[in-house]
Amino acid sequence: MVKSTITRRLTPTMKNYELTIAPKQKWHLVSLKELWRYRELFFILSWRDIKVRYKQTFLGIIWVIFQPLATTGIFTIFFGRLANIPSGNLPYELFVFIGLVFWIFFSASVTAASNSMVENVNIIKKVYFPREILPISAIITSFVDFAIAFLVVLIVTFYFGFVPSPTIFIYLPIVILIIFLTSSGIGLFLASFNVRYRDVRYILPFFIQSMLFLTPVIYPSAVVRDSFRPILAFNPMTGVIETMRIVLSGSGRVDLGVLFISSVFSLIVFVIGLTYFRVTERFFADIA
């Protein structure tokens, strides 16, 4: 292990102190203690991103709900009315709106996290801090947008005459954790890859668009053949969206098997993304 020791004298009234800078152990994926020490940086970066995002926009924060509402209208016309895709016991408008709000949270988190390292290259080169703060703070910013949009989901749910199940207080934190782990894992991986190869900016929109149609946002998983459903469950967003539709409608039983598979796979994605980030982060300042 390479260690360097810096000893400085602050003031006559203060004792000498030692600052030891040492490489992290390879098996040490994340230091919660260190992240907690930099907790104020999370707030500063997230607040900065929120202000920049809506600066000089006419509608401001209304864009958070405009996108899912407008997309819901388009999908309802083409997939609900013309294609007549089934939506179970929910009106198709509510069915697709619930799916879109959670999907947009996921896709916005992945996109923001993937670009976070490149967009903050000047900070990376000048100041030390845990690099994973940048992708994670970008996801926190997306979570603020999601929280506002989810309130609108509740209003629309009540408007259509549905009362969410009390289990929403159990399942909502679980699905948010699944989205956080999945988007963090993919975001950390792509953020690292993006530092070296800027192809990510071209691959990412295609990836997000493809995943939308591989996720039961505009269709229920019930229309998929039984033999393909376990494969569909490997997509963590399948368990998230299917679970929240059941919980928000207040009827039916949550498929715990699908939710469990989605949870495990989201954890695997997170570990893989964080491991790749750890391996490559020491080169960020040199090649960014």
Side-chain angles (χ1 to χ4, degrees):
M1 176 185 295
V2 179
K3 283 189 175 182
S4 61
T5 302
I6 303 172
T7 303
R8 296 175 180 172
R9 183 176 298 278
L10 293 179
T11 67
T13 58
M14 298 178 63
K15 296 181 179 179
N16 290 346
Y17 74 95
E18 289 187 349
L19 174 63
T20 301
I21 302 174
K24 296 175 181 175
Q25 300 288 342
K26 291 183 179 179
W27 52 268
H28 198 186
L29 289 180
V30 63
S31 171
L32 296 178
K33 182 179 179 181
E34 188 178 37
L35 290 179
W36 176 252
R37 192 161 62 241
Y38 284 89
R39 61 189 180 280
E40 292 182 356
L41 189 57
F42 278 108
F43 174 78
I44 293 171
L45 292 173
S46 299
W47 180 241
R48 181 203 62 177
D49 290 344
I50 291 173
K51 288 197 298 183
V52 170
R53 180 178 300 181
Y54 299 110
K55 186 178 182 181
Q56 293 184 328
T57 59
F58 179 72
L59 295 179
I61 200 73
I62 295 177
W63 282 111
V64 173
I65 58 173
F66 179 80
Q67 184 182 358
L69 285 174
T71 310
T72 295
I74 295 170
F75 282 0
T76 299
I77 293 172
F78 287 97
F79 297 111
R81 301 290 185 267
L82 298 180
N84 201 25
I85 292 178
S87 57
N89 63 332
L90 292 174
Y92 191 81
E93 298 90 330
L94 180 59
F95 175 88
V96 76
F97 185 56
I98 293 172
L100 278 171
V101 166
F102 284 90
W103 172 256
I104 290 173
F105 174 33
F106 167 74
S107 61
S109 297
V110 171
T111 303
S114 301
N115 295 322
S116 60
M117 304 303 294
V118 174
E119 292 175 352
N120 294 279
V121 62
N122 291 331
I123 302 177
I124 295 172
K125 289 182 176 180
K126 295 177 181 176
V127 184
Y128 170 76
F129 59 91
R131 302 308 192 211
E132 59 269 28
I133 286 180
L134 288 172
I136 295 176
S137 66
I139 295 173
I140 292 175
T141 304
S142 300
F143 176 75
V144 175
D145 294 346
F146 165 76
I148 298 171
F150 185 73
L151 290 176
V152 179
V153 169
L154 291 176
I155 295 171
V156 174
T157 301
F158 283 113
Y159 172 79
F160 279 100
F162 293 91
V163 178
S165 167
T167 57
I168 191 172
F169 295 105
I170 299 174
Y171 289 113
L172 183 60
I174 293 174
V175 300
I176 289 175
L177 180 61
I178 292 174
I179 296 175
F180 175 79
L181 290 175
T182 309
S183 56
S184 296
I186 298 174
L188 286 166
F189 180 85
L190 292 179
S192 306
F193 198 79
N194 201 15
V195 172
R196 183 183 292 270
Y197 304 104
R198 303 302 162 85
D199 306 67
V200 171
R201 71 181 65 174
Y202 303 104
I203 297 172
L204 190 57
F206 175 75
F207 170 75
I208 296 293
Q209 192 172 28
S210 300
M211 286 297 295
L212 172 63
F213 293 101
L214 295 175
T215 304
V217 174
I218 58 177
Y219 58 88
S221 60
V223 301
V224 180
R225 283 194 301 179
D226 292 342
S227 57
F228 284 103
R229 287 189 191 177
I231 299 175
L232 198 64
F234 288 142
N235 175 0
M237 290 305 297
T238 297
V240 168
I241 292 174
E242 293 283 342
T243 297
M244 290 313 299
R245 280 179 180 145
I246 293 173
V247 171
L248 285 167
S249 66
S251 60
R253 297 180 61 182
V254 173
D255 190 334
L256 295 178
V258 172
L259 189 61
F260 176 75
I261 294 174
S262 297
S263 303
V264 172
F265 201 74
S266 68
L267 185 60
I268 294 173
V269 170
F270 177 74
V271 171
I272 292 174
L274 185 57
T275 302
Y276 183 75
F277 188 88
R278 277 278 172 263
V279 172
T280 58
E281 69 170 335
R282 54 183 169 175
F283 304 112
F284 287 168
D286 298 326
I287 61 178

